[in-house]
Coordinates of all heavy atoms in Angstrom, one line a residue:
M26 N 55.8 -11.7 15.4 CA 57.0 -11.5 14.6 C 57.6 -10.1 14.9 O 56.9 -9.2 15.2 CB 56.6 -11.5 13.1 CG 56.4 -12.9 12.6 SD 56.4 -13.0 10.8 CE 54.9 -12.3 10.4
K27 N 58.9 -10.1 14.8 CA 59.7 -8.8 15.1 C 60.2 -8.2 13.8 O 60.4 -8.9 12.8 CB 60.8 -9.2 16.0 CG 60.4 -9.7 17.4 CD 61.6 -10.0 18.2 CE 62.1 -8.7 18.9 NZ 63.2 -9.0 19.8
A28 N 60.5 -6.9 13.9 CA 61.0 -6.2 12.7 C 62.5 -6.3 12.7 O 63.1 -6.2 13.8 CB 60.5 -4.8 12.7
Y29 N 63.1 -6.5 11.6 CA 64.6 -6.6 11.4 C 65.0 -5.8 10.2 O 64.2 -5.5 9.3 CB 65.0 -8.1 11.3 CG 64.8 -8.9 12.5 CD1 63.6 -9.7 12.6 CD2 65.7 -9.0 13.5 CE1 63.4 -10.4 13.8 CE2 65.6 -9.8 14.6 CZ 64.4 -10.5 14.7 OH 64.2 -11.2 15.9
E30 N 66.3 -5.5 10.2 CA 66.9 -4.9 9.0 C 68.2 -5.7 8.7 O 69.0 -6.0 9.6 CB 67.3 -3.5 9.4 CG 67.9 -2.7 8.2 CD 68.1 -1.3 8.5 OE1 67.2 -0.5 8.3 OE2 69.2 -1.0 9.0
L31 N 68.3 -6.0 7.4 CA 69.5 -6.7 6.9 C 70.2 -5.8 6.0 O 69.6 -5.3 5.0 CB 69.1 -8.0 6.2 CG 70.1 -8.7 5.3 CD1 71.3 -9.2 6.1 CD2 69.5 -9.9 4.6
L32 N 71.5 -5.6 6.2 CA 72.4 -4.9 5.3 C 73.5 -5.8 4.9 O 74.1 -6.4 5.7 CB 72.9 -3.6 6.0 CG 73.8 -2.8 5.1 CD1 73.1 -2.1 4.0 CD2 74.5 -1.7 6.0
F33 N 73.7 -5.9 3.6 CA 74.8 -6.8 3.1 C 75.3 -6.1 1.8 O 74.7 -5.3 1.2 CB 74.3 -8.2 2.8 CG 73.4 -8.4 1.6 CD1 73.9 -8.7 0.4 CD2 72.0 -8.2 1.7 CE1 73.1 -8.8 -0.8 CE2 71.2 -8.3 0.6 CZ 71.8 -8.6 -0.6
F34 N 76.6 -6.6 1.5 CA 77.1 -6.1 0.3 C 77.9 -7.3 -0.4 O 78.3 -8.2 0.2 CB 78.0 -4.9 0.4 CG 79.4 -5.1 1.0 CD1 80.5 -5.4 0.2 CD2 79.6 -5.0 2.4 CE1 81.7 -5.6 0.7 CE2 80.8 -5.1 2.9 CZ 81.9 -5.4 2.1
V35 N 77.9 -7.2 -1.8 CA 78.6 -8.1 -2.6 C 79.7 -7.3 -3.3 O 79.7 -6.1 -3.4 CB 77.7 -8.8 -3.6 CG1 76.6 -9.6 -2.9 CG2 77.0 -7.8 -4.5
A36 N 80.6 -8.0 -3.9 CA 81.7 -7.4 -4.7 C 81.0 -6.6 -5.9 O 80.1 -7.1 -6.5 CB 82.7 -8.4 -5.3
P37 N 81.6 -5.5 -6.2 CA 81.0 -4.7 -7.3 C 81.1 -5.3 -8.7 O 80.4 -4.9 -9.6 CB 81.7 -3.3 -7.2 CG 83.0 -3.6 -6.5 CD 82.7 -4.8 -5.6
T38 N 81.9 -6.3 -8.8 CA 82.1 -7.0 -10.1 C 81.1 -8.2 -10.2 O 81.1 -8.8 -11.3 CB 83.5 -7.6 -10.2 OG1 83.8 -8.4 -9.1 CG2 84.5 -6.4 -10.2
T39 N 80.3 -8.4 -9.2 CA 79.3 -9.5 -9.2 C 78.3 -9.2 -10.3 O 77.7 -8.1 -10.3 CB 78.7 -9.7 -7.8 OG1 79.7 -9.9 -6.9 CG2 77.7 -10.9 -7.8
D40 N 78.0 -10.1 -11.1 CA 77.0 -9.9 -12.2 C 75.5 -9.9 -11.6 O 75.3 -10.4 -10.5 CB 77.1 -10.8 -13.4 CG 77.0 -12.3 -13.0 OD1 76.6 -12.6 -11.8 OD2 77.1 -13.1 -13.9
D41 N 74.6 -9.4 -12.4 CA 73.2 -9.3 -12.0 C 72.6 -10.7 -11.7 O 71.7 -10.8 -10.8 CB 72.4 -8.6 -13.0 CG 72.8 -7.1 -13.1 OD1 73.3 -6.6 -12.2 OD2 72.5 -6.5 -14.2
E42 N 73.0 -11.7 -12.4 CA 72.5 -13.0 -12.1 C 72.8 -13.5 -10.7 O 71.9 -14.1 -10.0 CB 73.0 -14.0 -13.2 CG 72.4 -15.4 -13.1 CD 72.9 -16.2 -14.3 OE1 73.0 -15.8 -15.4 OE2 73.3 -17.4 -13.9
H43 N 74.0 -13.3 -10.3 CA 74.4 -13.8 -9.0 C 73.7 -12.9 -7.9 O 73.3 -13.4 -6.8 CB 76.0 -13.7 -8.8 CG 76.7 -14.9 -9.4 ND1 77.1 -14.9 -10.7 CD2 77.0 -16.1 -8.8 CE1 77.7 -16.0 -10.9 NE2 77.6 -16.8 -9.8
R44 N 73.6 -11.6 -8.1 CA 72.9 -10.7 -7.2 C 71.5 -11.2 -7.0 O 70.9 -11.2 -5.9 CB 72.9 -9.3 -7.6 CG 74.2 -8.6 -7.3 CD 74.1 -7.1 -7.7 NE 73.0 -6.4 -7.1 CZ 73.0 -6.0 -5.8 NH1 74.0 -6.2 -5.0 NH2 72.0 -5.3 -5.3
A45 N 70.8 -11.5 -8.2 CA 69.4 -12.0 -8.1 C 69.3 -13.3 -7.4 O 68.4 -13.5 -6.6 CB 68.9 -12.1 -9.5
G46 N 70.3 -14.2 -7.5 CA 70.3 -15.4 -6.8 C 70.4 -15.2 -5.3 O 69.8 -15.9 -4.6
V47 N 71.3 -14.3 -4.9 CA 71.4 -14.0 -3.5 C 70.1 -13.5 -2.9 O 69.6 -13.9 -1.9 CB 72.6 -13.0 -3.2 CG1 72.6 -12.5 -1.8 CG2 73.9 -13.6 -3.6
M48 N 69.5 -12.5 -3.6 CA 68.2 -11.9 -3.2 C 67.1 -13.0 -3.1 O 66.3 -13.0 -2.2 CB 67.8 -10.8 -4.2 CG 68.5 -9.5 -3.9 SD 68.2 -8.9 -2.3 CE 66.5 -8.8 -2.2
K49 N 67.1 -13.9 -4.1 CA 66.1 -15.0 -4.1 C 66.3 -15.9 -2.9 O 65.3 -16.3 -2.3 CB 66.2 -15.7 -5.4 CG 65.1 -16.8 -5.6 CD 63.7 -16.2 -5.7 CE 62.7 -17.2 -6.0 NZ 61.3 -16.7 -5.8
R50 N 67.5 -16.2 -2.6 CA 67.8 -17.1 -1.5 C 67.4 -16.4 -0.2 O 66.8 -17.1 0.7 CB 69.3 -17.5 -1.5 CG 69.7 -18.4 -0.4 CD 69.0 -19.8 -0.7 NE 69.5 -20.8 0.2 CZ 68.7 -21.5 1.0 NH1 67.4 -21.3 0.9 NH2 69.1 -22.3 1.9
I51 N 67.7 -15.1 0.0 CA 67.3 -14.4 1.2 C 65.8 -14.4 1.3 O 65.2 -14.6 2.4 CB 67.9 -13.0 1.2 CG1 69.4 -13.0 1.3 CG2 67.2 -12.1 2.3 CD1 70.1 -11.7 1.1
E52 N 65.1 -14.0 0.2 CA 63.6 -14.0 0.2 C 63.0 -15.3 0.6 O 62.1 -15.4 1.4 CB 63.2 -13.5 -1.2 CG 61.7 -13.4 -1.3 CD 61.2 -12.9 -2.7 OE1 62.1 -12.4 -3.4 OE2 60.0 -13.0 -2.9
T53 N 63.5 -16.4 0.0 CA 63.0 -17.7 0.2 C 63.2 -18.1 1.7 O 62.3 -18.6 2.3 CB 63.8 -18.8 -0.6 OG1 63.6 -18.4 -2.0 CG2 63.2 -20.2 -0.4
T54 N 64.4 -17.8 2.3 CA 64.6 -18.1 3.7 C 63.7 -17.4 4.6 O 63.2 -18.0 5.6 CB 66.1 -17.8 4.0 OG1 67.0 -18.5 3.1 CG2 66.4 -18.2 5.5
I55 N 63.4 -16.1 4.3 CA 62.5 -15.3 5.2 C 61.1 -15.8 5.1 O 60.4 -16.0 6.1 CB 62.6 -13.8 4.8 CG1 64.0 -13.3 5.2 CG2 61.5 -13.0 5.5 CD1 64.3 -11.9 4.7
T56 N 60.6 -16.1 3.8 CA 59.2 -16.5 3.6 C 59.0 -17.9 4.1 O 57.9 -18.2 4.5 CB 58.8 -16.3 2.2 OG1 59.7 -17.0 1.3 CG2 58.8 -14.8 1.8
E57 N 60.0 -18.8 4.0 CA 59.8 -20.2 4.5 C 59.6 -20.2 6.0 O 58.9 -21.1 6.5 CB 61.0 -21.0 4.1 CG 61.0 -21.5 2.7 CD 62.2 -22.3 2.4 OE1 63.2 -22.4 3.2 OE2 62.3 -22.9 1.3
G58 N 60.1 -19.2 6.7 CA 59.9 -19.1 8.2 C 58.7 -18.3 8.5 O 58.6 -17.7 9.6
N59 N 57.8 -18.1 7.6 CA 56.5 -17.3 7.7 C 56.8 -15.8 8.0 O 56.0 -15.1 8.6 CB 55.7 -17.9 8.8 CG 55.2 -19.3 8.5 OD1 54.9 -19.6 7.4 ND2 55.1 -20.1 9.5
G60 N 58.0 -15.4 7.5 CA 58.3 -13.9 7.6 C 57.8 -13.2 6.4 O 57.2 -13.8 5.4
A61 N 58.0 -11.9 6.3 CA 57.6 -11.1 5.2 C 58.6 -10.0 4.9 O 59.1 -9.3 5.9 CB 56.2 -10.5 5.5
L62 N 58.9 -9.8 3.7 CA 59.8 -8.6 3.3 C 58.9 -7.4 3.2 O 57.8 -7.4 2.7 CB 60.3 -8.9 1.8 CG 61.3 -10.0 1.7 CD1 61.7 -10.1 0.2 CD2 62.6 -9.7 2.5
D63 N 59.4 -6.3 3.9 CA 58.7 -5.0 3.9 C 59.2 -4.1 2.8 O 58.4 -3.4 2.1 CB 58.8 -4.4 5.3 CG 58.2 -5.2 6.4 OD1 57.2 -6.0 6.1 OD2 58.7 -5.1 7.5
N64 N 60.6 -4.0 2.7 CA 61.2 -3.1 1.8 C 62.5 -3.6 1.4 O 63.3 -4.1 2.2 CB 61.3 -1.7 2.4 CG 61.8 -0.6 1.5 OD1 61.5 -0.7 0.3 ND2 62.5 0.3 2.0
V65 N 62.9 -3.4 0.1 CA 64.2 -3.8 -0.4 C 64.7 -2.5 -1.0 O 64.2 -1.9 -2.0 CB 64.2 -4.9 -1.4 CG1 65.6 -5.1 -2.0 CG2 63.6 -6.2 -0.8
D66 N 65.9 -2.0 -0.5 CA 66.5 -0.8 -1.0 C 67.9 -1.0 -1.5 O 68.8 -1.4 -0.7 CB 66.5 0.2 0.2 CG 66.9 1.6 -0.2 OD1 66.9 1.9 -1.5 OD2 67.2 2.5 0.6
E67 N 68.1 -1.0 -2.8 CA 69.4 -1.2 -3.3 C 70.2 0.1 -3.3 O 69.8 1.1 -4.0 CB 69.3 -1.8 -4.7 CG 68.7 -3.1 -4.7 CD 68.6 -3.8 -6.1 OE1 69.3 -3.3 -7.0 OE2 67.9 -4.8 -6.2
W68 N 71.2 0.2 -2.5 CA 72.0 1.4 -2.4 C 73.0 1.6 -3.5 O 73.5 2.7 -3.8 CB 72.7 1.4 -1.1 CG 71.9 1.5 0.1 CD1 70.5 1.7 0.2 CD2 72.3 1.6 1.5 NE1 70.1 1.8 1.5 CE2 71.1 1.7 2.3 CE3 73.5 1.5 2.1 CZ2 71.2 1.8 3.7 CZ3 73.6 1.6 3.5 CH2 72.4 1.7 4.2
G69 N 73.4 0.5 -4.2 CA 74.4 0.6 -5.2 C 75.8 0.5 -4.7 O 76.0 0.1 -3.6
K70 N 76.7 1.0 -5.5 CA 78.1 0.9 -5.2 C 78.5 2.0 -4.2 O 78.2 3.2 -4.4 CB 79.0 1.0 -6.4 CG 78.8 -0.2 -7.3 CD 79.7 -0.1 -8.5 CE 79.4 -1.3 -9.4 NZ 80.2 -1.3 -10.6
R71 N 79.2 1.6 -3.1 CA 79.7 2.6 -2.1 C 81.1 2.2 -1.8 O 81.5 1.1 -1.8 CB 78.9 2.5 -0.8 CG 77.4 2.7 -1.0 CD 77.1 4.2 -1.1 NE 75.7 4.4 -1.4 CZ 74.9 5.0 -0.5 NH1 75.2 5.3 0.7 NH2 73.6 5.2 -0.9
K72 N 81.9 3.2 -1.4 CA 83.3 3.1 -1.1 C 83.3 2.5 0.4 O 82.6 2.9 1.2 CB 84.0 4.4 -1.1 CG 85.5 4.3 -0.8 CD 86.1 5.6 -1.1 CE 87.6 5.6 -0.7 NZ 88.4 4.7 -1.4
L73 N 84.1 1.5 0.6 CA 84.3 0.9 1.9 C 85.2 1.7 2.8 O 86.1 2.4 2.3 CB 84.9 -0.5 1.8 CG 84.1 -1.5 0.9 CD1 84.9 -2.8 0.9 CD2 82.7 -1.8 1.5
A74 N 85.0 1.7 4.1 CA 85.8 2.4 5.0 C 87.2 1.9 5.0 O 88.2 2.6 5.3 CB 85.2 2.4 6.4
Y75 N 87.4 0.6 4.8 CA 88.7 0.0 4.7 C 88.6 -1.2 3.8 O 87.5 -1.7 3.5 CB 89.2 -0.5 6.1 CG 88.2 -1.4 6.8 CD1 88.3 -2.8 6.7 CD2 87.2 -0.9 7.6 CE1 87.4 -3.6 7.3 CE2 86.3 -1.7 8.3 CZ 86.4 -3.1 8.1 OH 85.5 -3.9 8.8
E76 N 89.7 -1.6 3.3 CA 89.8 -2.7 2.3 C 89.5 -4.0 2.9 O 89.9 -4.4 4.0 CB 91.2 -2.7 1.7 CG 91.4 -3.7 0.6 CD 92.8 -3.6 -0.1 OE1 93.2 -2.5 -0.4 OE2 93.4 -4.7 -0.2
I77 N 88.6 -4.8 2.3 CA 88.2 -6.1 2.7 C 88.4 -7.1 1.5 O 87.9 -6.9 0.5 CB 86.7 -6.1 3.1 CG1 86.4 -5.2 4.2 CG2 86.3 -7.5 3.5 CD1 85.0 -5.0 4.6
N78 N 89.3 -8.1 1.8 CA 89.5 -9.1 0.7 C 90.0 -8.5 -0.6 O 89.6 -8.9 -1.7 CB 88.3 -10.0 0.5 CG 87.9 -10.7 1.7 OD1 88.8 -11.0 2.7 ND2 86.7 -11.2 1.8
G79 N 90.7 -7.4 -0.5 CA 91.2 -6.7 -1.8 C 90.2 -5.8 -2.4 O 90.4 -5.2 -3.4
L80 N 89.0 -5.6 -1.8 CA 87.9 -4.8 -2.3 C 88.0 -3.4 -1.7 O 88.2 -3.3 -0.5 CB 86.6 -5.4 -2.1 CG 86.3 -6.7 -2.8 CD1 84.9 -7.2 -2.3 CD2 86.3 -6.6 -4.3
T81 N 87.8 -2.4 -2.5 CA 87.6 -1.0 -1.9 C 86.2 -0.5 -2.1 O 85.9 0.6 -1.5 CB 88.6 0.0 -2.6 OG1 88.4 0.0 -4.0 CG2 90.1 -0.5 -2.3
E82 N 85.4 -1.2 -2.8 CA 84.0 -0.8 -3.0 C 83.1 -2.0 -2.8 O 83.5 -3.2 -2.9 CB 83.7 -0.3 -4.4 CG 84.2 1.0 -4.8 CD 83.8 1.5 -6.1 OE1 83.6 0.6 -7.0 OE2 83.5 2.7 -6.3
G83 N 81.8 -1.8 -2.5 CA 80.9 -2.8 -2.3 C 79.5 -2.4 -2.9 O 79.2 -1.2 -3.0
D84 N 78.7 -3.4 -3.4 CA 77.4 -3.1 -3.9 C 76.4 -3.5 -2.8 O 76.1 -4.6 -2.5 CB 77.2 -3.9 -5.2 CG 76.1 -3.4 -6.0 OD1 75.3 -2.5 -5.5 OD2 75.9 -3.9 -7.1
Y85 N 75.8 -2.5 -2.1 CA 75.0 -2.6 -0.9 C 73.5 -2.8 -1.2 O 73.0 -2.2 -2.2 CB 75.2 -1.4 0.0 CG 76.5 -1.3 0.7 CD1 77.6 -0.8 0.1 CD2 76.5 -1.7 2.0 CE1 78.8 -0.7 0.8 CE2 77.7 -1.6 2.7 CZ 78.8 -1.2 2.1 OH 80.0 -1.1 2.8
T86 N 72.9 -3.6 -0.3 CA 71.4 -3.7 -0.4 C 71.0 -3.8 1.1 O 71.5 -4.4 1.9 CB 71.0 -5.1 -1.1 OG1 71.6 -5.1 -2.4 CG2 69.5 -5.2 -1.1
C87 N 69.9 -3.0 1.4 CA 69.3 -3.0 2.7 C 67.9 -3.5 2.6 O 67.1 -3.1 1.7 CB 69.2 -1.5 3.2 SG 68.6 -1.4 4.8
I88 N 67.5 -4.5 3.5 CA 66.2 -5.2 3.4 C 65.6 -5.0 4.8 O 66.1 -5.4 5.8 CB 66.4 -6.7 3.1 CG1 67.1 -6.8 1.8 CG2 65.0 -7.3 3.1 CD1 67.4 -8.3 1.5
D89 N 64.3 -4.5 4.8 CA 63.5 -4.4 6.0 C 62.6 -5.6 5.9 O 61.9 -5.8 4.9 CB 62.7 -3.1 6.1 CG 63.6 -1.9 6.3 OD1 64.6 -2.0 7.1 OD2 63.3 -0.9 5.7
F90 N 62.4 -6.4 7.0 CA 61.6 -7.5 7.0 C 61.1 -7.8 8.4 O 61.6 -7.3 9.4 CB 62.3 -8.7 6.4 CG 63.4 -9.2 7.2 CD1 63.3 -10.3 8.0 CD2 64.7 -8.7 7.1 CE1 64.4 -10.8 8.8 CE2 65.8 -9.1 7.8 CZ 65.6 -10.2 8.6
H91 N 60.0 -8.6 8.5 CA 59.5 -9.2 9.7 C 59.7 -10.7 9.7 O 59.5 -11.3 8.7 CB 58.0 -8.9 9.9 CG 57.7 -7.5 10.3 ND1 57.7 -6.4 9.4 CD2 57.4 -7.0 11.5 CE1 57.5 -5.3 10.1 NE2 57.2 -5.6 11.4
A92 N 60.1 -11.2 10.9 CA 60.4 -12.6 11.0 C 60.3 -13.0 12.5 O 60.4 -12.2 13.3 CB 61.7 -13.0 10.4
D93 N 60.2 -14.3 12.7 CA 60.3 -14.9 14.0 C 61.7 -14.9 14.4 O 62.6 -15.2 13.6 CB 59.7 -16.3 14.1 CG 58.2 -16.3 13.9 OD1 57.5 -15.3 14.4 OD2 57.6 -17.2 13.3
P94 N 62.0 -14.6 15.7 CA 63.4 -14.6 16.2 C 64.2 -15.9 15.9 O 65.4 -15.8 15.7 CB 63.3 -14.2 17.7 CG 62.0 -13.5 17.8 CD 61.1 -14.1 16.7
Q95 N 63.5 -17.0 16.0 CA 64.3 -18.3 15.8 C 64.7 -18.5 14.4 O 65.6 -19.3 14.1 CB 63.4 -19.5 16.3 CG 62.1 -19.7 15.6 CD 61.0 -19.0 16.3 OE1 61.1 -18.1 17.1 NE2 59.8 -19.5 16.1
N96 N 64.1 -17.8 13.4 CA 64.5 -17.9 12.0 C 65.7 -17.0 11.6 O 66.3 -17.2 10.6 CB 63.4 -17.6 11.1 CG 62.2 -18.5 11.3 OD1 62.4 -19.7 11.6 ND2 61.0 -18.0 11.1
I97 N 66.1 -16.1 12.5 CA 67.2 -15.2 12.2 C 68.6 -16.0 12.2 O 69.4 -15.7 11.3 CB 67.3 -14.1 13.2 CG1 66.0 -13.3 13.2 CG2 68.5 -13.2 13.0 CD1 65.7 -12.6 11.8
A98 N 68.7 -17.0 13.0 CA 70.0 -17.8 13.0 C 70.1 -18.5 11.7 O 71.2 -18.6 11.1 CB 69.9 -18.8 14.1
E99 N 69.0 -19.0 11.1 CA 69.1 -19.7 9.8 C 69.5 -18.7 8.7 O 70.3 -19.0 7.8 CB 67.8 -20.4 9.5 CG 67.7 -21.0 8.1 CD 68.7 -22.2 7.9 OE1 69.3 -22.7 8.9 OE2 68.9 -22.6 6.8
L100 N 68.9 -17.5 8.7 CA 69.2 -16.5 7.7 C 70.7 -16.1 7.8 O 71.4 -16.0 6.8 CB 68.3 -15.3 7.9 CG 68.6 -14.1 6.9 CD1 68.4 -14.6 5.5 CD2 67.6 -13.0 7.3
D101 N 71.2 -16.0 9.0 CA 72.6 -15.6 9.3 C 73.5 -16.7 8.8 O 74.5 -16.4 8.1 CB 72.8 -15.4 10.8 CG 74.2 -14.9 11.1 OD1 74.6 -13.9 10.4 OD2 74.9 -15.5 11.9
R102 N 73.2 -18.0 9.0 CA 74.0 -19.1 8.5 C 74.0 -19.1 7.0 O 75.1 -19.3 6.4 CB 73.4 -20.4 9.0 CG 74.2 -21.6 8.6 CD 73.4 -22.9 9.0 NE 72.3 -23.2 8.1 CZ 72.4 -23.7 6.9 NH1 73.6 -24.0 6.4 NH2 71.4 -23.9 6.1
I103 N 72.9 -18.9 6.3 CA 72.9 -18.9 4.9 C 73.7 -17.8 4.3 O 74.4 -18.0 3.3 CB 71.4 -18.8 4.4 CG1 70.8 -20.2 4.6 CG2 71.3 -18.5 2.9 CD1 69.3 -20.3 4.4
L104 N 73.7 -16.6 4.9 CA 74.5 -15.5 4.4 C 76.0 -15.7 4.6 O 76.8 -15.3 3.8 CB 74.0 -14.2 5.1 CG 72.7 -13.7 4.7 CD1 72.2 -12.6 5.6 CD2 72.8 -13.1 3.3
R105 N 76.3 -16.4 5.7 CA 77.7 -16.7 6.0 C 78.3 -17.7 5.0 O 79.5 -17.6 4.6 CB 77.9 -17.2 7.4 CG 78.3 -16.2 8.4 CD 78.8 -16.7 9.7 NE 77.6 -16.7 10.6 CZ 77.2 -17.8 11.3 NH1 77.8 -18.9 11.3 NH2 76.1 -17.7 12.0
I106 N 77.5 -18.7 4.6 CA 78.1 -19.7 3.7 C 78.0 -19.3 2.2 O 78.6 -19.9 1.3 CB 77.4 -21.1 3.9 CG1 75.9 -21.0 3.5 CG2 77.7 -21.6 5.2 CD1 75.2 -22.4 3.6
N107 N 77.3 -18.2 1.9 CA 77.2 -17.7 0.5 C 78.4 -17.0 0.1 O 78.8 -16.0 0.7 CB 75.9 -16.8 0.4 CG 75.6 -16.5 -1.0 OD1 76.5 -16.4 -1.9 ND2 74.3 -16.4 -1.3
D108 N 79.1 -17.5 -0.9 CA 80.4 -16.9 -1.3 C 80.2 -15.5 -1.9 O 81.2 -14.7 -1.9 CB 81.1 -17.8 -2.3 CG 81.6 -19.0 -1.7 OD1 81.9 -19.0 -0.4 OD2 81.8 -20.0 -2.4
S109 N 79.1 -15.2 -2.4 CA 78.8 -13.9 -3.1 C 78.7 -12.7 -2.0 O 79.1 -11.6 -2.3 CB 77.6 -13.9 -3.9 OG 77.7 -14.8 -5.0
V110 N 78.2 -13.0 -0.8 CA 78.1 -12.0 0.2 C 79.4 -11.8 0.9 O 79.9 -12.7 1.5 CB 77.0 -12.4 1.2 CG1 76.8 -11.4 2.3 CG2 75.6 -12.6 0.5
V111 N 79.9 -10.6 0.8 CA 81.2 -10.3 1.5 C 81.0 -10.1 3.0 O 81.7 -10.6 3.8 CB 81.9 -9.1 0.8 CG1 83.2 -8.8 1.5 CG2 82.1 -9.3 -0.7
R112 N 80.1 -9.2 3.3 CA 79.7 -8.9 4.7 C 78.2 -8.7 4.8 O 77.6 -8.3 3.9 CB 80.4 -7.6 5.2 CG 81.9 -7.7 5.4 CD 82.3 -8.4 6.7 NE 83.7 -8.2 7.0 CZ 84.7 -8.9 6.6 NH1 84.5 -9.8 5.7 NH2 85.9 -8.7 7.0
H113 N 77.7 -9.0 6.0 CA 76.3 -8.7 6.3 C 76.1 -8.4 7.8 O 76.9 -8.8 8.6 CB 75.4 -10.0 5.9 CG 75.6 -11.1 6.8 ND1 76.7 -12.0 6.7 CD2 74.8 -11.6 7.8 CE1 76.6 -12.9 7.7 NE2 75.5 -12.7 8.3
M114 N 75.0 -7.8 8.1 CA 74.6 -7.5 9.4 C 73.1 -7.5 9.5 O 72.4 -6.9 8.7 CB 75.2 -6.2 9.9 CG 74.8 -5.9 11.3 SD 75.7 -4.4 12.1 CE 75.7 -3.3 10.8
I115 N 72.6 -8.2 10.5 CA 71.1 -8.3 10.8 C 70.9 -7.6 12.2 O 71.5 -8.0 13.2 CB 70.6 -9.7 10.8 CG1 70.9 -10.4 9.5 CG2 69.1 -9.7 11.1 CD1 70.6 -11.9 9.6
V116 N 70.0 -6.6 12.2 CA 69.7 -6.0 13.5 C 68.2 -5.9 13.7 O 67.4 -5.8 12.8 CB 70.3 -4.5 13.6 CG1 71.8 -4.5 13.6 CG2 69.8 -3.7 12.4
A117 N 67.8 -6.0 15.0 CA 66.4 -5.9 15.4 C 66.0 -4.4 15.4 O 66.8 -3.6 15.9 CB 66.2 -6.5 16.7
R118 N 64.9 -4.1 14.8 CA 64.4 -2.7 14.8 C 63.4 -2.6 15.9 O 62.2 -3.0 15.7 CB 63.8 -2.5 13.4 CG 64.7 -2.5 12.2 CD 65.7 -1.4 12.2 NE 65.1 -0.1 12.3 CZ 65.0 0.7 11.2 NH1 65.4 0.4 10.1 NH2 64.4 1.9 11.4
T119 N 63.8 -1.9 16.9 CA 62.8 -1.6 18.0 C 61.9 -0.5 17.7 O 60.9 -0.3 18.5 CB 63.6 -1.4 19.3 OG1 64.5 -0.3 19.1 CG2 64.4 -2.6 19.7
D120 N 62.2 0.3 16.7 CA 61.4 1.5 16.4 C 60.2 1.1 15.5 O 59.4 2.0 15.1 CB 62.2 2.6 15.8 CG 62.9 2.1 14.5 OD1 63.2 0.9 14.3 OD2 63.2 3.0 13.6
R121 N 60.1 -0.1 15.1 CA 59.0 -0.6 14.2 C 58.3 -1.8 14.8 O 58.9 -2.5 15.6 CB 59.6 -1.0 12.9 CG 60.2 0.1 12.1 CD 60.6 -0.3 10.8 NE 61.3 0.8 10.1 CZ 62.0 0.6 9.0 NH1 62.1 -0.5 8.4 NH2 62.6 1.7 8.5
D122 N 57.1 -2.0 14.4 CA 56.3 -3.1 14.9 C 56.2 -4.2 13.8 O 56.2 -3.9 12.7 CB 54.9 -2.7 15.3 CG 55.0 -1.9 16.6 OD1 55.9 -2.2 17.4 OD2 54.1 -1.1 16.8

């Protein structure tokens, strides 16, 4: 398994129930592919560099995890179809095992 980092944000007006649903879906997708969450860091509300869909702020979360490379495409697909997630990025961490 390789180390990855996922950074995503939702609209700051999103309630805690929807945020928890997004986190649960991400966690389920990673663990179903025999991956493991290493760290979840909630950054909170941050100002965006530019306006996206009328938003000037986003509620950010950073997740460090290990997964098989073939499961990353499924995670990316799930994040793209989730209406609560405004933007996301998954990167491979070469500095970790």
Side-chain angles (χ1 to χ4, degrees):
M26 284 194 286
K27 295 178 84 175
Y29 293 93
E30 181 176 272
L31 163 64
L32 179 66
F33 71 94
F34 75 90
V35 297
T38 57
T39 304
D40 61 3
D41 291 337
E42 185 177 313
H43 279 91
R44 279 185 55 79
V47 170
M48 281 300 303
K49 184 66 175 167
R50 185 68 176 121
I51 291 169
E52 181 180 344
T53 302
T54 304
I55 292 170
T56 55
E57 281 178 353
N59 296 324
L62 291 177
D63 297 331
N64 185 34
V65 177
D66 190 13
E67 294 185 13
W68 291 0
K70 293 181 183 175
R71 302 281 173 112
K72 185 171 173 59
L73 301 177
Y75 54 90
E76 188 174 306
I77 300 173
N78 299 336
L80 298 174
T81 58
E82 285 187 327
D84 199 350
Y85 284 82
T86 303
C87 182
I88 302 172
D89 293 320
F90 65 98
H91 281 79
D93 290 325
Q95 61 266 25
N96 296 330
I97 298 302
E99 176 64 13
L100 179 60
D101 187 52
R102 183 188 72 80
I103 286 171
L104 288 165
R105 262 191 268 132
I106 63 174
N107 191 324
D108 291 335
S109 297
V110 177
V111 179
R112 290 280 196 278
H113 72 280
M114 182 170 36
I115 304 170
V116 295
R118 296 291 306 256
T119 56
D120 60 333
R121 296 185 183 167
D122 289 330

